[in-house]
Amino acid sequence: DQQVKQNSPSLSVQEGRISILNCDYTNSMFDYFLWYKKYPAEGPTFLISISSIKDKNEDGRFTVFLNKSAKHLSLHIVPSQPGDSAVYFCAASESGGSNYKLTFGKGTLLTVNP
Amino acid sequence: DVKVTQSSRYLVKRTGEKVFLECVQDMDHENMFWYRQDPGLGLRLIYFSYDVKMKEKGDIPEGYSVSREKKERFSLILESASTNQTSMYLCASSLYGSRREQYFGPGTRLTVT
């Protein structure tokens, strides 16, 4: 059973526009959420995180929004740049003793066209 | 900056061989992890370790074992490699505590023929 779902395998956006990547989760014990970016033949790089006590966290061009009632989070990239083209993974962590463990979605391939 | 290094970027092994993948982190992190990444399946946790000599199974431990003799080093062992273990293997580390970000190495692309 997939607890973290990224329903869009791919997304294509024009340079300068907004990219919106979506993620849904089913486990109500998740209380910390992260986004990672991955280029081919490289390891994932941590981008931004959000705790369930917040509904928004911003870092430069990247903003993550969390809607707990809908069990949904999204990553906004504004403005999108060609260098943002990568696979983006959503991940979630439970509260309590297993909080070191991350559950990942299957990823969304973002392509930013010049 | 956290540095996680993996012993090889690319590896080709034959079916039945014993394979060792090594990972070293330089930030004194308590937790270390091994994942595999396959197209359409995302990252799946194989094993993790929260302390020296301590290990726990992840979601897909079958066919793998691990070793952590020193805090900075975490090894993944394929006792008898099979073709279905052809994959990208990723090591990660994290601090114990409320910050849950994991930091990843560059990955090892293993091909078993």
Side-chain angles (χ1 to χ4, degrees):
Chain A
D1 179 35
Q2 223 184 318
Q3 297 186 68
V4 177
K5 299 179 187 179
Q6 294 178 255
N7 291 320
S8 298
S10 62
L11 175 69
S12 185
V13 168
Q14 283 299 118
E15 181 178 5
R17 308 294 287 268
I18 184 171
S19 295
I20 300 176
L21 297 112
N22 293 303
C23 180
D24 296 293
Y25 62 96
T26 57
N27 186 344
S28 55
M29 295 297 290
F30 287 149
D31 70 340
Y32 198 83
F33 304 89
L34 308 91
W35 284 94
Y36 283 83
K37 176 168 80 171
K38 186 182 184 299
Y39 294 119
E42 292 186 15
T45 303
F46 168 70
L47 267 180
I48 191 168
S49 61
I50 187 167
S51 164
S52 60
I53 61 173
K54 295 185 176 181
D55 55 17
K56 177 182 173 181
N57 190 26
E58 201 169 344
D59 184 2
R61 295 186 298 115
F62 302 91
T63 303
V64 56
F65 295 92
L66 175 62
N67 183 335
K68 281 190 298 181
S69 60
K71 292 192 175 71
H72 177 84
L73 64 155
S74 60
L75 175 68
H76 293 210
I77 306 174
V78 184
S80 302
Q81 299 173 354
D84 296 329
S85 298
V87 176
Y88 288 78
F89 291 100
C90 170
S93 170
E94 286 187 26
S95 57
S98 299
N99 68 354
Y100 44 76
K101 184 180 174 185
L102 297 182
T103 301
F104 286 86
K106 293 185 179 181
T108 297
L109 174 63
L110 173 66
T111 303
V112 180
N113 301 300
Chain B
D1 270 1
V2 177
K3 187 84 170 170
V4 180
T5 56
Q6 296 183 227
S7 50
S8 305
R9 293 300 301 273
Y10 301 93
L11 211 50
V12 180
K13 295 292 182 180
R14 293 192 181 276
T15 301
E17 278 193 83
K18 191 168 186 175
V19 182
F20 293 87
L21 302 181
E22 280 220 322
C23 174
V24 177
Q25 51 95 3
D26 67 355
M27 286 302 292
D28 205 34
H29 284 174
E30 290 83 6
N31 302 321
M32 294 189 75
F33 308 83
W34 276 106
Y35 294 87
R36 62 179 282 178
Q37 186 204 356
D38 300 289
L41 296 178
L43 276 70
R44 294 181 292 166
L45 181 64
I46 304 171
Y47 265 98
F48 64 92
S49 168
Y50 50 90
D51 202 350
V52 174
K53 296 193 186 296
M54 306 304 289
K55 60 187 178 185
E56 286 198 20
K57 294 179 181 179
D59 300 317
I60 51 163
E62 296 79 18
Y64 304 94
S65 62
V66 290
S67 171
R68 191 165 182 202
E69 298 295 321
K70 293 185 178 181
K71 189 174 185 179
E72 68 271 18
R73 191 178 296 267
F74 192 34
S75 301
L76 179 70
I77 302 150
L78 287 66
E79 295 289 342
S80 177
S82 63
T83 54
N84 63 11
Q85 293 178 309
T86 291
S87 186
M88 168 71 90
Y89 289 89
L90 293 159
C91 175
S93 71
S94 72
L95 269 174
Y96 177 83
S98 59
R99 292 294 300 274
R100 306 181 208 176
E101 293 82 9
Q102 293 180 15
Y103 297 89
F104 285 82
T108 296
R109 169 66 65 185
L110 173 67
T111 302
V112 182
T113 61

